[in-house]
């Protein structure tokens, strides 16, 4: 049974960089996409982007200039970097697994709240 | 990219059927059979209920079904049960190679 677990700081200062890591246990990197989705408190889901097991990426156009998703196949981890954060980036961040060639986001981490505040 | 449009709330009595709509454009919902639906209970991570318009993952009740017509996808819950009370989100692949979520629908079991 594959499990995903997010880790990283729960508090980030405005204008700094948000960095999160997702550790995959009980499964392999391929043939999946690995992504991030966020949810501001009390609001809906927002797709951030994903990276394929081959390293190709796709990002939400509204975040593209600030987002990088990377994959460490040796550690079976993937990461999110979001630069120049503001209070609007305060959200629960979920890491997800996507079955390649489908719209099946079949496995989700429990989510981690990141607050942007000085 | 604009969020897909869902009704803010839908309600029904136990045993009834309800349908949640998810309206997009020809550049997302209408252009691809890559629409999926997620159930989210308070404080929990979302769970996939339907993927690729109408496919149901193993372990998901057959009371949940999905369909699409034109630019609108739909999720139907039949035989509504108390445990179905949750938020539901659709998502679709887009012509930009990205995904976009719906605005979300709160389902209330009366």
């Amino acid at each position: 049974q594959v499990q995903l677990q997010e880790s990283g700081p729960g508090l980030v200062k405005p204008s700094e960089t948000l960095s999160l890591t997702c550790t995959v246990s009980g499964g392999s990197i391929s043939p999946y996409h690995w992504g991030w989705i966020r949810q501001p408190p009390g609001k809906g889901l927002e797709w951030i982007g994903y990276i394929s097991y081959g390293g190709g990426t796709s990002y939400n156009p509204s975040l593209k200039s600030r987002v990088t998703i990377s994959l460490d196949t040796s550690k079976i981890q993937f990461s999110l970097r979001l630069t120049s954060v503001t209070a609007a980036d305060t959200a629960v961040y979920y890491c997800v697994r996507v079955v390649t060639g489908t719209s099946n986001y079949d496995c989700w981490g429990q989510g981690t709240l990141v607050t942007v505040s000085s | 990219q604009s969020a897909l449009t869902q009704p803010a709330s839908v309600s029904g009595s136990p045993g009834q059927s309800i349908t949640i709509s998810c309206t997009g454009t020809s550049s997302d919902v209408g252009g691809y059979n890559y629409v999926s639906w997620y159930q989210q209970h308070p404080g929990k991570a979302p769970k996939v209920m339907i993927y690729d318009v109408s496919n149901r993952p193993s372990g998901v009740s057959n009371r949940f079904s999905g369909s699409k017509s034109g630019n609108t996808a739909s999720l139907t819950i039949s035989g509504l049960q108390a445990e179905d009370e949750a938020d539901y989100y659709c998502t679709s692949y887009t012509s930009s190679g990205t995904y976009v979520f719906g605005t979300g629908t709160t389902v209330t079991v009366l």
Side-chain angles (χ1 to χ4, degrees):
Chain A
Q1 177 89 6
V2 65
Q3 290 187 319
L4 306 182
Q5 180 66 58
E6 304 92 349
S7 59
L11 181 64
V12 181
K13 290 182 168 55
S15 80
E16 295 191 344
T17 296
L18 179 160
S19 295
L20 295 174
T21 296
C22 184
T23 300
V24 182
S25 58
S28 63
I29 285 290
S30 64
Y32 302 101
H33 290 358
W34 303 92
W36 293 90
I37 290 163
R38 70 181 183 179
Q39 185 171 36
K43 296 188 178 181
L45 301 172
E46 181 179 28
W47 189 83
I48 298 173
Y50 60 34
I51 185 167
S52 73
Y53 63 94
T57 56
S58 180
Y59 300 129
N60 186 323
S62 69
L63 301 171
K64 190 172 184 176
S65 63
R66 300 193 291 130
V67 171
T68 303
I69 296 175
S70 57
L71 181 62
D72 186 333
T73 56
S74 63
K75 295 182 180 178
I76 317 186
Q77 290 179 337
F78 60 105
S79 299
L80 170 70
R81 288 185 75 249
L82 182 66
T83 62
S84 305
V85 297
T86 69
D89 295 310
T90 293
V92 174
Y93 285 76
Y94 295 100
C95 60
V96 298
R97 186 180 80 170
V98 188
V99 179
T100 301
T102 79
S103 59
N104 188 359
Y105 289 61
D106 72 334
C107 190
W108 295 62
Q110 64 183 23
T112 186
L113 175 63
V114 178
T115 301
V116 178
S117 175
S118 55
Chain B
Q1 54 192 25
S2 298
L4 307 176
T5 301
Q6 298 180 231
S9 62
V10 173
S11 62
S13 299
Q16 286 187 330
S17 293
I18 61 169
T19 297
I20 303 168
S21 61
C22 171
T23 301
T25 69
S26 58
S27 295
D28 38 62
V29 175
Y32 306 92
N33 288 325
Y34 292 133
V35 176
S36 49
W37 290 90
Y38 299 84
Q39 176 192 67
Q40 185 180 35
H41 287 110
K44 301 294 187 182
K47 171 189 174 185
V48 62
M49 307 304 284
I50 295 289
Y51 69 94
D52 295 354
V53 175
S54 60
N55 291 316
R56 194 171 48 249
S58 60
V60 173
S61 171
N62 59 10
R63 298 184 298 103
F64 291 84
S65 62
S67 63
K68 190 184 83 167
S69 177
N71 296 336
T72 298
S74 299
L75 174 71
T76 298
I77 309 174
S78 59
L80 197 62
Q81 299 180 0
E83 66 206 50
D84 301 331
E85 189 161 288
D87 292 329
Y88 291 82
Y89 295 91
C90 62
T91 189
S92 173
Y93 184 75
T94 80
S95 58
S96 300
T98 63
Y99 275 83
V100 61
F101 276 97
T103 50
T105 299
T106 298
V107 169
T108 302
V109 181
L110 302 172

